[in-house]
Amino acid sequence: MTKQPSIKKLCIHTITTKPWSIEQAADKYAAAGLRGITVWRNVLEDRDINHVKDMLQIRDLKVVSLCRGGFFPAETEFERQKAIDENRRILDEAAALGAPHVVLVCGAVPGLPLDESRQQIRKGIEAVIPHAEDVNVKLAVEPLHPMYADTRSAINTLRQANEMAEAIQSPMVGVAVDVYHLWWDPELREQIRRCGQRGNLLAFHISDWKTPTNDLLLDRGLMGEGCINVPQIRQWVEETGFDGYNEVEIFSSRYWGEDQDTFLQKIIDAYLTAS
């Protein structure tokens, strides 16, 4: 039987409560008893990162990760180098914030063969590893659902992410597992085990796939609201020895339009009952 998730392991991505500023999110998450926060870069605009770090520390909120880096593939060498330079800056932001890793949405280019995109992704990651080592921030390759293979990521299965991390052979490169993107994969349990055995499992993201889904990007559900067996996948993750946070990452126009205090309580209730 799957054990009940611990509230101490609940982390929320700031994009989940998108209408809130980083200051509002920090206050609300801490008041609700949360101890983990994943920061999206949009909330850092026009902010002093050192001040944000101090603010989160005062509220006893651990920065679980920084989202997001990646988007390495491009049609020209100039654009590819620009992406590499941007990812180095993102690593600097993560280090300043105290984030242990950056989540990589690896990117893709419409019309560019997927194999070529994957080669460019690997080269891009390899190019920023020395800087990752310098600032001591890891890179978490997040495989995305195949529906995003056109523009968002050419890494679409956990097997592909595992193979890339293993081929690169750097302790600075691992994998982020997101149930929304991977729940359908018949190899999921095997690949989670593989990832864990190699010490490559850096992050675990949760939400739910609604049926019907009205928007493939902006209609994620709360845990228990859709067809993903989140508790089972969490059990597979924990069987590897993973002891990190369960990160709630929900893109939802519907929930962003609601009162965010009410939504936060819904997140906590869903986490405790359906995760």
Side-chain angles (χ1 to χ4, degrees):
M1 179 179 296
T2 305
K3 64 181 180 180
Q4 184 178 15
S6 168
I7 191 68
K8 295 179 180 179
K9 293 296 183 182
L10 173 58
C11 166
I12 297 180
H13 286 223
T14 57
I15 199 69
T16 299
T17 54
K18 186 178 179 180
W20 280 342
S21 67
I22 184 62
E23 293 84 4
Q24 289 174 307
D27 285 341
K28 300 290 188 177
Y29 294 0
L34 274 65
R35 291 295 173 260
I37 183 171
T38 283
V39 177
W40 275 65
R41 296 182 68 219
N42 65 299
V43 299
L44 297 177
E45 293 177 5
D46 301 320
R47 299 294 195 280
D48 182 307
I49 293 183
N50 291 320
H51 173 73
V52 172
K53 179 182 179 180
D54 291 343
M55 178 189 66
L56 297 177
Q57 287 181 337
I58 289 170
R59 288 158 180 77
D60 198 22
L61 283 169
K62 175 180 174 58
V63 179
V64 178
S65 62
L66 178 67
C67 282
R68 57 193 178 182
F71 293 98
F72 293 105
E75 293 181 333
T76 68
E77 180 63 31
F78 174 81
E79 291 172 319
R80 290 191 288 274
Q81 185 60 50
K82 185 177 178 180
I84 289 168
D85 293 341
E86 175 66 8
N87 276 273
R88 290 180 178 134
R89 284 190 289 271
I90 294 169
L91 285 165
D92 288 337
E93 291 178 3
L97 195 60
H101 63 259
V102 170
V103 177
L104 298 181
V105 174
C106 292
V109 177
L112 190 70
L114 288 174
D115 285 345
E116 176 62 24
S117 286
R118 290 168 189 144
Q119 291 174 18
Q120 292 184 16
I121 290 166
R122 176 174 173 175
K123 290 178 181 178
I125 293 173
E126 290 174 336
V128 301
I129 286 175
H131 196 66
E133 293 172 339
D134 288 343
V135 299
N136 194 30
V137 175
K138 294 186 177 182
L139 302 158
V141 177
E142 181 180 20
L144 266 58
H145 194 283
M147 65 187 174
Y148 296 128
D150 57 344
T151 60
R152 292 180 181 271
S153 183
I155 307 298
N156 308 113
T157 67
L158 188 50
R159 174 186 285 274
Q160 290 173 338
N162 280 334
E163 289 175 350
M164 179 161 293
E166 292 163 14
I168 291 173
Q169 292 185 321
S170 168
M172 304 310 296
V173 179
V175 174
V177 169
D178 187 323
V179 301
Y180 190 78
H181 296 299
L182 299 174
W183 68 275
W184 57 273
D185 188 345
E187 291 189 325
L188 184 55
R189 185 176 190 180
E190 172 190 345
Q191 293 300 321
I192 287 174
R193 184 182 298 115
R194 172 182 178 179
C195 186
Q197 287 174 341
R198 289 164 172 78
N200 285 338
L201 183 50
L202 300 182
F204 179 53
H205 301 173
I206 58 175
S207 60
D208 213 336
W209 184 288
K210 292 169 61 178
T211 304
T213 295
N214 295 320
D215 187 294
L216 294 177
L217 178 62
L218 301 177
D219 194 33
R220 294 193 190 190
L222 288 161
M223 296 71 69
E225 193 175 16
C227 59
I228 301 177
N229 190 337
V230 178
Q232 181 182 68
I233 300 174
R234 178 173 62 81
Q235 181 179 1
W236 295 344
V237 166
E238 291 176 353
E239 285 173 352
T240 71
F242 179 81
D243 192 36
Y245 284 83
N246 302 303
E247 305 178 45
V248 177
E249 182 185 41
I250 296 175
F251 298 79
S252 171
S253 297
R254 171 193 166 193
Y255 284 125
W256 290 337
E258 289 189 3
D259 176 81
Q260 294 300 284
D261 289 293
T262 301
F263 180 38
L264 177 59
Q265 188 58 54
K266 288 180 180 180
I267 293 171
I268 295 170
D269 292 343
Y271 173 75
L272 293 173
T273 60
S275 295

